[in-house]
Amino acid sequence: MSNYQVNEKGYYGTFGGAYIPEMLYPNVEELRQNYRQIMDEPAFKAEFDKLMRDYVGRPSPLYLAGRLSERYGANIYLKREDLNHTGAHKINNTIGQILLAQRLGKTRIIAETGAGQHGVATATVCALKGLECVVYMGEIDIQRQAPNVARMKMMGAEVRPAKSGSKTLKDATNEALRDWINNPVNTHYIIGSVVGPHPYPDLVARFQSIISEETKKQLKEKTGSELPNYALACVGGGSNAMGMFYHFLDDESVRLIAAEAAGKGVHSGHSAATSVLGKEGVLHGSRTILMQTPDGQVIEPYSISAGLDYPGIGPQHAWLHKIQRAEYVSITDDEAMQAGLLLTRLEGIIPAIESAHALAQLEKMKFKPEDTVVVCLSGRGDKDLDNYMKYFGF
Amino acid sequence: MNRINKLFANKEKKNILSIYFTAGYPELDSTVKIAEALEKAGADFLEIGFPYSDPVADGPVIQHSSEEALKNGMTLEVLFKQLAGLREKVQIPVLLMGYVNPVLQYGVERFCQDCEKVGIDGVIVPDLPLSEYEEFYQGTFAKHQLSNIFLVTPQTADDRIRKIDKLSTGFIYLLSSSATTGKNLQISESVSEYFARIREMNLNNPIVIGFGIHDKTTFDQTLNYADGAIVGSAFVRLLAEENFLEQILPFVQQFK
């Protein structure tokens, strides 16, 4: 393993670890001791691959976006995670974790969700496997994301409002952790991003790494080379970005670019640009970069995109940022919304506003005509129609 | 030997009662007043919580007190200023309890230094992992005569309990169940079996049981198995009342 991956102590350089109260230690330790071995079992791999193919619909296409390429003067490929079952990359991780949970003998699943995408992906795999499912969602997000709440309920999940703190994603995560403390034996917590205590960032990255694994093969078929010049993805906690970067980390010629949500402007006070505004500290069990006051209180971030307003980034991202293996750029609400509309008009694809943050970065780059650029289109925009309609006054 | 060690070494002392409350709640400057009142009322030692925005190990009552304390302007910076005259007023052992991120931002060395300066005897930081403490911070804590208190739950494996016992210098904080704070305890058969199992391990450190102890009955029951017990949420709930200072004496006395 390269030095971009987690070490035997659970750290990426100075980031990571498992900063958890003793009540969570047995669960997290059980996971740590078993996840690699379970994931390496041939039967596990076979079931994972089969579900990915027949249920999720993988491999997701790598689409050469012709008119977008023409506009930016490069060969721009979209990795179509939006075409997965449930409409986003989140399902890659929930399929992997539900199989892991089953093998650990767990009968009850909990999850946190912000916009509801991870909640839906978790409720989906719980329906598929017939496991009890409780999803924590901020009270405010429940109001903002009614269709996803309905989807979760229809699949049999219980959606519990997080009423503490700011009543959004970070508080839903706190509530899920509290649930796990109170249910220490039969429950598995399916974290939705590459965050949380070790081994979560690593295991989620491994499940999402299918994105870059496929991309490499598909690029080889289409261009003759498995390496692009650039790989772009949006970052909230960072799971689709880590999936997109994973198999390119050791290919130093590939420039990895992660788009963070700058909201109304990086320094507007309404932003989620963690790599610019954050400082090192501990959030949700790992040492990482997070937005916080000088006293160490977590600051509530803002973005028009509910999937990107997380106050930290995963510890592996924090490390890639620190050693400058990946570039972290800031995209405002306005830039993302324009990029979303542009893709819709040029290619007939409505992207999730999250993914539109990655697309917006194209506008700021200079390409050579022979450049190969891959953008992770992490999700579809159906869930965002209200926001798009309101923003553009359609 | 700090005040904690002396307290537990005193064999005359039975039924040791510790009270937890959040600094800066209900009012920014109520911290020392409450500590004084608790000592007068008969509490044997104190845990003063410093608030954090994301207290994952806490139930609704302590979450609420932390939120209010932060709104009132409580920070570690402010707390150490408030505690500067603590030892002129309060003689019983006092511990600080809170989450690791505020400590990291304050600086671990500076935090320990200031604890020593104002006369703090021990620290409870639930999300500071054992391994990190051992590798990076044990020396700093020792230099400033601070006891670091570890938690043990019903799920903690025996070999880990032995390791915790070895690293502990004050007492072991035994959780009555795997739970967040403030869930009322009921001593079922499995709970008493667990307490008995720990007692039979004959650990070197005193055992203090906490989480869910809210009245005389649960207090007395836990003391069959431990050297002391901690009351947190039940006391913090009282602080929401207008004349809370007057109610501290009867509250503490109910346990004695």
Side-chain angles (χ1 to χ4, degrees), chain A residues 9 11 18-23 25-26 164-165 170 174 178 181-182 279-282 287 292 295-298, chain B residues 51-56 58 63 67 70 75-76 101 105 126-127 129 132 135 137 151 160 175 178-180:
Chain A
K9 286 186 170 171
Y11 280 84
Y19 289 77
I20 46 171
E22 189 63 28
M23 298 83 106
Y25 179 82
S164 58
K170 88 174 171 69
N174 293 339
R178 288 181 188 122
I181 286 173
N182 285 290
K279 278 187 7 204
E280 294 189 21
V282 168
R287 217 179 238 265
Q292 56 182 317
D295 186 45
Q297 311 300 336
V298 181
Chain B
Y52 178 49
S53 54
D54 295 75
V56 293
D58 285 303
Q63 282 175 42
E67 237 172 86
L70 289 173
T75 63
L76 275 176
N101 196 50
Q105 301 313 313
D127 58 344
E132 267 67 7
E135 191 167 351
Y137 304 124
L151 310 185
R160 189 166 166 86
L175 266 59
S178 181
T180 42

Side-chain angles (χ1 to χ4, degrees), chain B residues 31-47:
Chain B
T31 318
V32 177
K33 277 187 251 172
I34 293 171
E36 259 187 288
L38 281 168
E39 176 169 36
K40 280 201 189 104
D44 297 299
F45 73 97
L46 305 177
E47 289 157 41

Side-chain angles (χ1 to χ4, degrees), chain A residues 144 261-264 268-273 291 300-305 308-309 333:
Chain A
R144 289 197 292 204
K264 294 176 179 168
S268 65
H270 302 279
S271 167
M291 291 167 54
E300 185 59 25
Y302 162 83
S303 163
I304 193 168
S305 140
L308 299 183
D309 61 355
D333 286 355

